């Protein structure tokens, strides 16, 4: 009887002592932060018409910043590379709304569709958006929808040089 | 019946009863259950609270950095590290290779955490107990994600120190609640245990009462079994046992009464022919001198046996009267030494027996039965012991003491208890003695009839000693 009683007391003490916050060893806390890069990714086209990654700045920046770089073509080292979305005199201060919902990134471009020349131009935009998105920690399997101020929006697209 | 195992003997005295043990067990179980339940819920709540708090801190930090990082130049300079630092509140250290920016008190950061962060690609967390309370350390490498999704360390590492004081307070509050809940279970458990013990122990108490009544001779003691549990079964079994015992005992009593009545009837029927036989024997005895000597021996034997038979029948009838409850003492005031002297004289024992008595000793007794007692005891002493036989009389205010002591070999070991049984003979080889075998039984019955006691034993000098104690002033009826 006495042994049972002392066992009971020990059990109660152990139970109640279990309810407190104690120091711990190092344990895993989930995914680390990301988002640094050696420059903003911008896709241009070479003479063959293939997509080429350029990093005209020294920080990753946002999708909007990357698209402005693409549209304005401010890449001093572009050399022989060219762009099919070079908008020349379009003001860079234009805001480019980007909505990310699940795996779909919807970019509302402040330009009419006719200013983008062909599928290569669409690919340039889609790849640039996806590259920034992935480098900022987004899912590599995301898809992109582009809308325009005039003309029909694109369907969900992936980048031919990035897709998984 | 032994209900307790030897182990239980060590239990505290207060816990030896069935009731305290039952209550203690009930209370222990209830309190343990309450404590376990409240502990389980408190522990689970504490755990999830702690985990969610830690995760929230880690996520906030990771989000803060991820939001800041795209604006940084890579490789970063001190200004870039400062941007990260400023994006995070509280104590923080940001390092990149040899660069280092810090804010607040960050001494709590451990080498263990740094090791885990170096080259790792996951957040590392650690709780430490610092001088200012429990802290959560967050160690975070900042990764470079390639356009193909591959990640590698950028070399930027961020360490944060976050206070867990609020969580500790909440967890302690939960624990206190658990203790209170367990404590509250105690009085409720005691109450329930008392009720349960009453329900269980009432039938046990009734059983004990009935068993005591049965032990005291009340064969009608029965229980009322209620319900269909083990205790009801026990009560039924008890009733069956009692009924069986009762029927056995009444059967035995009936058989004994039958046999006694038979003996009484037989003795009564034998008396009339025996009276005739005795008269004839007495007549023959008177003519014994004129008989031829060869016939004389046979006739003497016949006469002796007839007398013995007559005496046996008289003794049997006396015993039968005692059994039937028909024996009543005829109390009168008697001079005890006088009765004893007359008894010895009438049997011609005066020369062989020494009377050790006061000159006068009055008592209220049945004269005839006193005579029977003295005659039987003295006759027994003369037959089985050696002279001198001493009869010693003494008395105090209340009691009369009569001792008969002989000088023989004394009583054999262990027979004193059976000596007053009917037809008991100390020497089994002595098949037929002068006595009927009823003498000592009749003596004892006569003593008991007076409300006295009789004891058999040996004196220090090895002779047998019979001691009779009679109330001196029995109520005259």
């Amino acid at each position: 009887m006495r042994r049972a009683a002392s066992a009971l007391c020990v059990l109660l003490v152990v139970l109640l002592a279990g309810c407190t916050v104690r120091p711990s060893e190092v344990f895993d806390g989930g995914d680390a932060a990301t988002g640094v890069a050696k420059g903003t990714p911008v896709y241009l086209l070479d003479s063959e018409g293939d997509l080429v990654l350029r990093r005209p700045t020294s920080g990753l920046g946002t999708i909007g910043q990357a698209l402005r770089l693409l549209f304005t073509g401010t890449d001093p080292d572009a050399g022989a590379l060219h762009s099919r979305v070079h908008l020349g005199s379009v003001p860079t201060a234009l805001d480019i709304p980007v909505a990310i919902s699940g795996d779909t990134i919807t970019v509302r471009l402040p330009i009419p569709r006719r200013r983008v020349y062909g599928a290569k131009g669409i690919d340039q935009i889609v790849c640039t958006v996806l590259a920034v998105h992935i480098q900022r920690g987004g899912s590599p399997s995301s898809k992109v929808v582009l809308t325009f101020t005039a003309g029909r929006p694109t369907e969900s697209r992936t980048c031919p040089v990035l897709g998984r | 019946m032994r209900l307790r195992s030897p182990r239980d003997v060590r239990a505290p005295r207060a816990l030896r009863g069935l009731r305290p043990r039952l209550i203690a067990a009930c209370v222990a179980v209830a309190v343990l259950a309450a404590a376990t339940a409240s502990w389980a819920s408190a522990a689970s709540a504490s755990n999830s609270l702690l985990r969610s708090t830690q995760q929230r801190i880690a996520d906030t930090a990771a989000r803060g950095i991820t939001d800041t990082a795209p604006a940084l130049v890579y490789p970063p300079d001190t200004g870039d590290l400062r941007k990260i630092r400023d994006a995070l509140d509280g104590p923080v250290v940001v390092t990149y290779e040899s660069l280092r920016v810090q804010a607040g008190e960050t001494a709590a950061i451990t080498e263990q955490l740094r090791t885990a962060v170096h080259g790792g690609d996951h957040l590392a967390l650690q709780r430490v107990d610092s001088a200012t309370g429990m802290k959560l350390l967050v160690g975070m490498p900042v990764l470079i994600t390639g356009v193909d999704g591959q990640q590698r360390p950028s070399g930027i590492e961020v360490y944060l120190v976050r206070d867990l004081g609020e969580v500790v307070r909440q967890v302690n509050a939960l624990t206190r609640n658990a203790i209170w809940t367990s404590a509250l279970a105690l009085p409720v458990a005691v109450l329930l245990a008392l009720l349960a013990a009453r329900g269980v122990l009432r039938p046990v108490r009734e059983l004990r009462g009935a068993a005591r009544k049965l032990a005291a001779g009340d064969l009608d003691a029965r229980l009322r079994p209620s319900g269909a549990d083990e205790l009801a079964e026990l009560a039924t079994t008890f009733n069956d046992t009692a009924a069986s015992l009762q029927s056995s005992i009444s059967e035995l009593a009936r058989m004994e009464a039958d046999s006694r009545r038979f003996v009484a009837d037989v003795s009564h029927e034998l008396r009339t022919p025996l009276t005739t036989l005795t008269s004839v024997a007495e007549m023959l005895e008177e003519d014994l001198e004129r008989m031829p000597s060869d016939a004389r021996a046979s006739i003497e034997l016949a006469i002796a046996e007839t007398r013995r038979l007559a005496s046996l029948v008289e003794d049997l009838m006396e015993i039968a009267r005692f059994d039937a409850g028909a024996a009543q003492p005829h109390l009168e005031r008697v001079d005890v030494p006088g009765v004893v002297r007359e008894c010895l004289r009438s049997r011609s024992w005066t020369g062989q027996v020494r009377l050790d008595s006061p000159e006068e000793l009055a008592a209220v007794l049945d004269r005839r039965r006193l005579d029977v007692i003295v005659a039987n005891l003295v006759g027994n002493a003369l037959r089985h012991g050696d002279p001198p036989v001493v009869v010693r009389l003494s008395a105090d205010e209340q009691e009369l003491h009569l001792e008969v002591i002989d000088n023989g070999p004394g009583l054999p070991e262990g027979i004193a208890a059976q000596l007053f049984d009917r037809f008991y003979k100390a020497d089994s080889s002595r098949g037929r003695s002068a006595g009927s075998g009823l003498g000592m039984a009749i003596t004892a019955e006569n003593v008991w009839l007076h409300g006295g006691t009789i004891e058999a034993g040996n004196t220090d000098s090895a002779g047998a000693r019979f001691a009779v104690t009679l109330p001196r002033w029995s109520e005259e009826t």
Side-chain angles (χ1 to χ4, degrees):
Chain A
M1 183 65 91
R2 196 171 303 161
R3 209 178 312 166
S6 44
L8 195 71
C9 290
V10 167
L11 188 62
L12 283 176
V13 168
V14 166
L15 284 182
L16 295 174
C19 286
T20 181
V21 179
R22 275 192 299 262
S24 72
E25 295 295 301
V26 173
F27 57 98
D28 187 44
D31 290 333
T34 185
V36 284
K38 285 187 172 164
T40 314
V42 174
Y43 280 86
L44 299 178
L45 298 165
D46 63 11
S47 54
E48 305 291 315
D50 291 335
L51 289 161
V52 177
L53 174 62
R54 296 292 303 165
R55 291 187 184 275
T57 63
S58 56
L60 178 58
T62 64
I63 291 176
Q65 285 164 352
L67 287 177
R68 270 194 293 275
L69 283 173
L70 177 64
F71 292 164
T72 53
T74 50
D75 185 353
D77 305 321
L81 299 176
H82 66 282
S83 170
R84 314 236 17 201
V85 289
H86 188 188
L87 300 180
S89 58
V90 171
T92 55
L94 274 178
D95 190 25
I96 303 176
V98 177
I100 300 173
S101 158
D103 267 0
T104 302
I105 307 159
T106 306
V107 183
R108 288 166 59 199
L109 298 170
I111 53 171
R113 180 155 179 164
R114 59 190 154 79
R115 302 292 294 271
V116 181
Y117 308 119
K120 286 292 177 188
I122 298 290
D123 280 345
Q124 272 187 286
I125 298 172
V126 168
C127 289
T128 302
V129 169
L130 269 183
V132 176
H133 181 65
I134 292 167
Q135 290 211 281
R136 288 180 68 113
S139 164
S141 58
S142 297
K143 294 187 173 179
V144 179
V145 173
L146 303 178
T147 66
F148 303 91
T149 53
R152 54 186 173 78
T154 63
E155 69 275 28
S156 284
R157 290 179 68 111
T158 54
C159 171
V161 294
L162 286 180
R164 275 205 181 165
Chain B
M1 187 165 54
R2 187 178 171 84
L3 279 176
R4 286 206 303 254
S5 74
R7 265 170 56 87
D8 297 335
V9 174
R10 286 204 301 266
R13 179 170 293 276
L15 287 179
R16 282 188 194 166
L18 199 53
R19 182 183 162 88
R21 275 195 287 166
L22 197 60
I23 291 174
C26 282
V27 170
V29 167
V31 169
L32 186 62
T36 310
S38 32
W39 170 79
S41 73
S44 146
S46 304
N47 212 5
S48 57
L49 180 68
L50 184 63
R51 281 227 290 227
S52 68
T53 307
Q54 286 170 175
Q55 201 55 54
R56 186 168 44 74
I57 291 171
D59 288 350
T60 306
R63 197 169 340 105
I65 294 168
T66 303
D67 287 349
T68 315
L72 303 180
V73 170
Y74 188 83
D77 56 16
T78 313
D80 291 310
L81 298 189
R82 243 180 242 128
K83 280 184 197 163
I84 299 180
R85 181 196 69 186
D86 295 343
L88 302 165
D89 301 326
V92 59
V93 178
V94 185
T95 63
Y96 175 70
E97 293 173 352
S98 58
L99 301 178
R100 178 187 164 94
V101 169
Q102 95 167 65
E105 175 55 56
T106 56
I109 295 168
T110 61
E111 201 50 47
Q112 221 180 346
L113 188 74
R114 289 180 204 279
T115 310
V117 170
H118 278 317
D121 57 358
H122 270 78
L123 264 168
L125 303 178
Q126 186 178 18
R127 284 192 304 274
V128 291
D129 213 352
S130 77
T132 50
M134 188 64 70
K135 303 288 181 196
L136 179 70
L137 306 181
V138 182
M140 181 154 36
V142 180
L143 303 179
I144 294 176
T145 308
V147 291
D148 53 358
Q150 294 294 316
Q151 294 189 318
R152 60 188 171 86
S154 67
I156 304 173
E157 290 168 5
V158 183
Y159 299 93
L160 297 94
V161 180
R162 290 291 180 263
D163 190 33
L164 285 177
E166 184 54 33
V167 180
V168 171
R169 266 189 296 281
Q170 289 178 14
V171 166
N172 287 348
L174 283 169
T175 308
R176 266 198 306 279
N177 280 345
I179 293 173
W180 276 113
T181 309
S182 310
L184 279 179
L186 191 68
V188 179
V190 168
L191 198 68
L192 288 176
L194 280 172
L195 287 175
R198 204 165 65 171
V200 171
L201 291 179
R202 187 171 39 78
V204 174
R205 247 192 335 265
E206 284 170 4
L207 184 63
R208 184 188 59 193
R212 276 184 184 161
K213 274 203 262 178
L214 195 66
D218 178 6
L219 295 175
D220 288 324
R222 292 290 185 280
L223 289 166
R224 264 180 293 107
S226 57
D229 55 7
E230 288 82 353
L231 285 168
E233 275 176 40
L234 183 60
T236 312
T237 311
F238 175 87
N239 285 349
D240 293 347
T241 309
S244 160
L245 191 63
Q246 190 175 29
S247 86
S248 300
I249 285 179
S250 18
E251 178 70 5
L252 278 176
R254 195 182 57 73
M255 282 163 63
E256 196 183 351
D258 283 355
S259 72
R260 284 182 179 180
R261 195 161 48 243
F262 176 72
V263 169
D265 291 350
V266 168
S267 315
H268 193 75
E269 292 301 322
L270 282 174
R271 193 152 78 156
T272 317
L274 263 178
T275 313
T276 316
L277 263 179
T278 311
S279 313
V280 173
E282 275 165 4
M283 281 161 59
L284 281 174
E285 197 175 18
E286 279 167 19
D287 296 336
L288 209 55
E289 283 94 36
R290 282 170 280 162
M291 299 280 174
S293 64
D294 50 347
R296 193 184 295 169
S298 306
I299 290 168
E300 275 175 344
L301 187 59
I303 291 168
E305 287 299 305
T306 304
R307 287 206 172 118
R308 216 175 84 81
L309 188 57
S311 149
L312 176 59
V313 168
E314 282 300 326
D315 285 353
L316 279 174
M317 290 189 62
E318 180 78 6
I319 284 282
R321 273 196 290 277
F322 280 115
D323 288 344
Q328 290 293 332
H330 298 289
L331 297 177
E332 58 188 316
R333 192 183 175 87
V334 295
D335 174 33
V336 180
V339 173
V340 174
R341 263 186 229 105
E342 176 57 24
C343 169
L344 298 178
R345 193 190 57 71
S346 67
R347 287 168 179 79
S348 317
W349 288 337
T350 314
Q352 295 160 276
V353 178
R354 182 161 65 83
L355 177 61
D356 182 1
S357 160
E359 205 48 43
E360 282 190 2
L361 184 55
V364 173
L365 294 168
D366 183 322
R367 180 189 296 272
R368 186 184 71 81
R369 293 187 193 280
L370 180 61
D371 179 71
V372 169
I373 291 168
V374 173
N376 274 334
L377 289 178
V378 172
N380 189 62
L382 288 172
R383 229 173 5 255
H384 300 301
D386 294 327
V389 172
V390 178
V391 176
R392 185 173 296 148
L393 281 173
S394 61
D396 55 27
E397 282 302 307
Q398 303 297 325
E399 288 172 333
L400 173 70
H401 301 286
L402 167 69
E403 283 178 285
V404 177
I405 301 161
D406 68 41
N407 202 26
L411 300 172
E413 191 75 19
I415 70 151
Q418 302 152 288
L419 207 57
F420 303 107
D421 291 350
R422 291 166 193 186
F423 298 111
Y424 179 78
K425 288 187 175 154
D427 184 357
S428 52
S429 68
R430 200 182 60 206
R432 297 181 56 202
S433 73
S436 64
L438 289 169
M440 294 310 275
I442 290 175
T443 307
E445 292 283 2
N446 276 313
V447 171
W448 295 332
L449 189 66
H450 280 94
T453 60
I454 183 163
E455 283 172 24
N458 288 324
T459 62
D460 294 341
S461 53
R465 169 182 173 275
F466 289 86
V468 172
T469 302
L470 297 173
R472 190 170 174 185
W473 310 110
S474 294
E475 291 289 313
E476 283 184 73
T477 51

